[in-house]
Amino acid sequence: MPTVVLFLGVSVFLIIGGSSLQGLLNNVLNWVTSNMGWGYMWIYIINFLFFVYLMLSKYGNIRLGEPTDKPVYKNFQWGSMVFATAIDASILMLSMVDPLRYVQHPEGSVKPYSVTAYNLAHMYGQYDWGPMAWLMFAAPTIAIGYMMYNKKRKIQSLSDAITILDGEKLWQSIARKIVNLLVVFGIMGGVGASVGLEIPIISKVLSSLTGIPDNLNMKLGLFLVLFIIFALTVFKGLNGGIDKLSNAHIWTAIIFLAIVLLVGPTVYILNSETNSVGLLIQKFIPMSMNTVPNGRPGIAQQETIFYWGWWLSYMPFMGLFIAKISKGRTIRQIVMGMLTYGALGCMSFYAVFGGYSLWLQKTGTLNLTHILNTQGQAAVISAVLGTLPMKYVMFAFYFISCFIFLATTISSSAFVLSSFTSLPLGPGKEPSRVNRMTWVVVFILFSFSLVVVGGFETVQTFCTLAGFPLMFVCILIIMSVFKMIKNDPTVIRNPRWTPRRGKKPVTVERKSAIKGKLILWPKNTINRH
């Protein structure tokens, strides 16, 4: 209840302050980007290297559950739920817009709108939504899943899975409460900012489709529709609500990608993506450690810090959600699933939508960078959709896709937050419907307050700040995961993984034996009868 009151108060403050708060929030964002960028970079590097090591090592075979347990969900359904929950409508929007920011503000001495600028612009977004980002969910997923299914501990909040905070000492108790508060703050900041970003764009698309003026009343109507969808889905719970919505989400994404790829410049998109994969491999390490100590961070660096904060803010609820649907899966299967269904899925959006936007800009079909600079993101997306065949059908399909994407993520977020803030739940019990519905209301009100303040920078600020304290939580989780798995009994018992002690005894076969084989053993290993 205190957390609900806190966010209701923040929402009211933002609504009253309105657009006058934009300047203050922009200054906060600039300070964090300039002074704390190194922290975001290092936590992602450490997390990425740790879980790649786990995946490739003997620990990758550790199963969440009993050794004989089988996955509850089939691979495609599991991947659909993971992808759909983590990815809201933001990727449908930003994958069209981000490359336009990069091409006019390339890194270093690269000339804007040059061939190199176009190549880099197509690649950068795939880095920000790729492997480094998705493996941020691995730490809480494995920590929570291992404690739930292997150690049989009841997990209701993220702090329950951080074993280095176990104990009755005062500092441990305080630390657990701080972690839980930071988790709620992160989820609200990240997911609420997503809705605050997406509603104005959906409103613009709907206005283009129907001719209804894009004003505050339109946005209020959209929030009402969202509230109804969220309420029904969260009311139904994990099975029968969120899982079905996830299936609709993934098929909508595949169909929309296929349409744009086939009716757009297919060869250009495929060539660009092939080139981008090579650039991503070549520049992966420099981009992962680029803090720009001399000079001001460019657009690409600022976007990366923003995205790193955003992914961190999603980390706690994604960890609990993925853990709940991953019983019977090994650590290797979970990490690989994130790298395939997650990272490759997101990269596909940037490959297709980003490639199409850059092609429109490059060929002079539309001056999208001018539209972005003068009219904003929503106008860019509306203009891009207007170039597709069956214009109004595409507008309608895009509108429906955005709503499905949004509903999946927000419903799952409200479900998880209600678990974090419930009284102790019994085995297999879900949070009360009153608790779930309360968080739906808080989500909607907080998101609406961000729309009132307005501006993409507002969304960036809240995402970046929401993720900042979770860097320290991530470190605690990684330490706990290491502590758990290094003494896992299935690893210790398996003879194939047991370190060899000393050299294997040498045997010699004497060919002159009369019958059979005569083996001469070292003197100290002769078996005397």
Side-chain angles (χ1 to χ4, degrees), residues 42-81:
W42 272 112
I43 191 61
Y44 273 80
I45 293 169
I46 293 169
N47 182 79
F48 180 78
L49 294 177
F50 179 70
F51 285 101
V52 168
Y53 163 73
L54 287 192
M55 179 182 68
L56 299 176
S57 71
K58 60 186 180 183
Y59 300 109
N61 293 293
I62 296 176
R63 191 175 301 276
L64 299 187
E66 300 297 328
T68 56
D69 284 344
K70 301 296 181 183
V72 177
Y73 297 97
K74 294 181 179 179
N75 289 337
F76 184 77
Q77 188 178 15
W78 179 86
S80 299
M81 295 176 73

Side-chain angles (χ1 to χ4, degrees), residues 316-354:
F317 100 82
M318 280 303 300
L320 182 59
F321 183 82
I322 299 176
K324 281 181 174 291
I325 63 174
S326 297
K327 184 178 181 180
R329 292 188 177 273
T330 65
I331 291 177
R332 182 174 294 112
Q333 289 173 333
I334 292 171
V335 174
M336 284 298 298
M338 292 176 180
L339 294 177
T340 51
Y341 290 101
L344 291 181
C346 287
M347 291 169 68
S348 299
F349 278 90
Y350 273 84
V352 176
F353 291 157

Side-chain angles (χ1 to χ4, degrees), residues 266-279:
T266 308
V267 175
Y268 176 83
I269 291 173
L270 294 177
N271 278 333
S272 296
E273 179 57 16
T274 303
N275 185 65
S276 289
V277 171
L279 283 174

